[in-house]
Amino acid sequence: LFVNDRVDVALAVGAEGVQLGEDAMSVEAVRCIAGDSLLVGRSIHSVEGAIEAEAQGADFLVIGTVFATGSKPELEPAGPNLLGDVGKVTKIPFLAIGGVNTANVAQVLEYGAHGAAVISAILASPDAAQAAQDLKQVMKDAAGRKMLSSNKSYDYLDGKWQA
């Protein structure tokens, strides 16, 4: 469980982490409050934002808006190239957000994302549980193809890929 922006709530409910908006409190401030008891993610919208978040000690990034989305129609999508650009300058994992769905989630993995955060792809579906399962399956299939293309042998065990 990750709580959006509210460090106090994350600590109170025993969450695994907190996801900070780009203009939210700094990662350093969260560490002063929570120490290492929470994983800290930072939303970013640029390569510069990614570099800054990593320098502050973020554990992961949420990068967007990648594709057009009804959740934030006022935002111009950055496109998947932003994912690839961030992957070249950071070492921490990152998720894609913004318009990600079953039709394009494999693409965000190909551009280096470690996963995706979705809203509309699930909430707009008449069957949210099936939509989530479909996204998970497409991601597993795409991750499997990526692993196989590296000429290494991997198995998907206990929810993760293992060599």
Side-chain angles (χ1 to χ4, degrees), residues 12 14-15 17 21 23 31 35 50 60 73 85 105 110-111 138-139 155 158 161-163:
D23 296 326
R31 296 281 186 228
F60 66 94
D85 292 344
V105 71
E110 290 168 11
Y111 275 81
V138 172
M139 289 173 59
D155 291 308
D158 299 320
W161 288 101
Q162 299 178 12

Side-chain angles (χ1 to χ4, degrees), residues 24 31 35 50 69 109 115 121-122 150:
R31 296 281 186 228
T69 177
L109 296 177
I122 294 174
S150 70

Side-chain angles (χ1 to χ4, degrees), residues 95-114:
L95 306 174
I97 193 169
V100 179
N101 56 44
T102 55
N104 59 28
V105 71
Q107 184 180 13
V108 302
L109 296 177
E110 290 168 11
Y111 275 81
H114 295 78

Side-chain angles (χ1 to χ4, degrees), residues 25-88:
M25 108 178 7
S26 72
V27 174
E28 290 130 335
V30 172
R31 296 281 186 228
C32 286
I33 296 167
D36 289 331
S37 66
L38 295 174
L39 290 171
V40 180
R42 169 71 79 189
S43 292
I44 62 98
H45 301 41
S46 66
V47 170
E48 296 77 19
I51 293 168
E52 182 179 337
E54 183 176 35
Q56 287 184 5
D59 295 302
F60 66 94
L61 305 171
V62 178
I63 303 172
T65 299
V66 178
F67 303 106
T69 177
S71 299
K72 296 194 178 185
E74 74 281 3
L75 295 180
E76 183 71 27
N81 285 334
L82 177 58
L83 303 171
D85 292 344
V86 167
K88 293 175 188 172

Side-chain angles (χ1 to χ4, degrees), residues 145-161:
R145 285 191 302 277
K146 188 173 180 180
M147 296 293 184
L148 291 174
S149 68
S150 70
N151 293 324
K152 293 183 179 178
S153 176
Y154 291 86
D155 291 308
Y156 194 75
L157 302 171
D158 299 320
K160 57 188 165 191
W161 288 101

